[in-house]
Amino acid sequence: MSAATPTPVQLNPLGGESYRLTLPNTANAPKFARDFLTSLLRVSRHPGLVDDARLCVTELVTNAHRHTRTPLIRVHVAVNRKRVTVAVTDDGGTVGTALGTTLRPVPAATPEQEHGRGLALVESLALAWGTGSGGERHPGRTVVWFTLGRPEATA
């Protein structure tokens, strides 16, 4: 019998602490992600970031739930004294491609629309945000992340 080899966890490049939550892809996933992030931010003395963080994580987890066939949605939170970075990862698999169809492009959102403004909202609230992939280790995964906190002082 061989010993289990632990999987190395990527260090938080900003220092601080890292937390992970893995959720089933259900309609309740955004609520669980919001509650998880709220608890972390209150304990880590970032209560001023709670409202923006809740809004942003809700948007990203909701997008993963609505627009992919991923079985699991992963939320990774890195917290330090000045900032919090949240990454939401899904396994890809766009809903519209499941049966050989393709999704139609979504027209640009207008202020009157109920849907389609989420990432613009994330962009307006975050110090930075972006997208990436799971790389060689997890091909097909999509990562969307945002950072909230105090802006760096400029000299």
Side-chain angles (χ1 to χ4, degrees), residues 1-154:
M1 188 159 111
S2 64
T5 306
T7 305
V9 176
Q10 183 178 7
L11 296 176
N12 178 359
L14 301 174
E17 301 171 339
S18 290
Y19 301 89
R20 295 178 191 269
L21 175 67
T22 301
L23 301 161
N25 185 359
T26 68
N28 290 324
K31 180 194 179 333
F32 289 128
R34 267 193 315 273
D35 293 347
F36 173 71
L37 189 53
T38 298
S39 295
L40 285 177
L41 293 178
R42 288 191 174 139
V43 168
S44 65
R45 298 187 179 124
H46 286 294
L49 300 178
V50 169
D51 291 340
D52 290 350
R54 287 173 58 90
L55 194 61
C56 291
V57 78
T58 298
E59 177 57 33
L60 300 189
V61 173
T62 299
N63 282 352
H65 169 65
R66 286 187 180 165
H67 302 295
T68 72
R69 296 181 311 130
T70 188
L72 298 173
I73 299 169
R74 296 164 186 86
V75 180
H76 177 229
V77 182
V79 181
N80 70 18
R81 290 183 305 124
K82 295 182 181 181
R83 298 201 170 138
V84 59
T85 298
V86 179
V88 175
T89 305
D90 64 65
D91 292 331
T94 306
V95 173
T97 61
L99 300 172
T101 62
T102 57
L103 291 176
R104 286 177 276 178
V106 178
T110 64
E112 299 82 30
Q113 288 178 306
E114 271 188 51
H115 302 288
R117 298 185 317 241
L119 290 178
L121 190 59
V122 170
E123 181 174 27
S124 73
L125 296 173
L127 294 174
W129 78 280
T131 62
S133 69
E136 291 179 13
R137 187 167 178 198
H138 301 287
R141 284 191 182 169
T142 301
V143 180
V144 184
W145 60 271
F146 64 89
T147 299
L148 298 172
R150 294 177 273 182
E152 290 293 322
T154 55

